[in-house]
Amino acid sequence: MVGIQVTRAAPSLLYMVKQVELAARSRLDELVRPSGITALQYTALTVLERHDGLSAAQLARDSFVTAQSTADLVRSLESRGLVRRERNPRNRRELLILLTDAGRDLLDRHAGPARELEELMVRDLTAHQTEQFRQALTKAWRALS
């Protein structure tokens, strides 16, 4: 009897992106756990580091969480003194979320280990491939946004 060769389809890109996201999030959770925060909270802090003074809705969009999750997340970060809220001078009904010095200090403490985690993720890629990967991810995100 002749052997039948079975060709397996490659996993979908959606599946592979989710695998990378889950692995990165798990590693990031381990990295920031000693500081008493989660990977989602860390992500929100890094978003504020790049764009301080966001509304809750903007922070939710940029941190990839729901508005309800953001409300809980901000309350938790605020109770730890990592962020503060203040009225938007251009729209008094809106509260802006700002990074505190304690939040910046926490990010500074994790900057090196987070960079090492990212380097681990792309260690088998050349610098050129890493830049291509970054560009491809940006294009994929834009296409779906």
Side-chain angles (χ1 to χ4, degrees):
M1 178 174 219
V2 177
I4 298 173
Q5 190 173 19
V6 177
T7 305
R8 294 184 193 260
S12 74
L13 288 175
L14 293 173
Y15 179 80
M16 294 175 72
V17 166
K18 187 63 176 179
Q19 281 186 308
V20 171
E21 188 266 337
L22 290 173
R25 187 168 167 180
S26 175
R27 290 288 189 97
L28 189 55
D29 267 327
E30 291 173 17
L31 190 146
V32 299
R33 186 175 297 121
S35 293
I37 63 169
T38 65
L40 288 176
Q41 291 170 328
Y42 177 81
T43 299
L45 292 173
T46 64
V47 168
L48 290 171
E49 183 179 40
R50 289 190 323 275
H51 308 285
D52 209 12
L54 295 177
S55 69
Q58 291 167 316
L59 183 60
R61 278 191 299 277
D62 293 354
S63 299
F64 317 110
V65 296
T66 65
Q68 178 59 42
S69 295
T70 299
D72 295 340
L73 183 142
V74 169
R75 269 194 299 280
S76 177
L77 293 173
E78 190 175 34
S79 73
R80 302 244 354 257
L82 301 173
V83 300
R84 63 184 170 80
R85 291 186 266 192
E86 65 181 46
R87 294 256 171 236
N88 182 345
R90 292 183 298 276
N91 177 358
R92 301 295 298 161
R93 292 176 297 179
E94 182 179 57
L95 288 173
L96 299 179
I97 303 158
L98 298 120
L99 200 55
T100 64
D101 289 341
R104 289 182 200 289
D105 290 345
L106 185 141
L107 288 172
D108 286 347
R109 285 195 311 274
H110 291 292
R115 190 173 38 261
E116 290 170 7
L117 178 58
E118 189 170 301
E119 289 168 359
L120 175 63
M121 182 177 69
V122 296
R123 75 175 176 208
D124 292 335
L125 302 178
T126 65
H128 180 69
Q129 288 170 325
T130 299
E131 185 53 34
Q132 287 180 316
F133 182 51
R134 182 182 304 279
Q135 290 174 11
L137 290 172
T138 299
K139 288 177 183 179
W141 173 77
R142 284 187 182 138
L144 294 174
S145 294

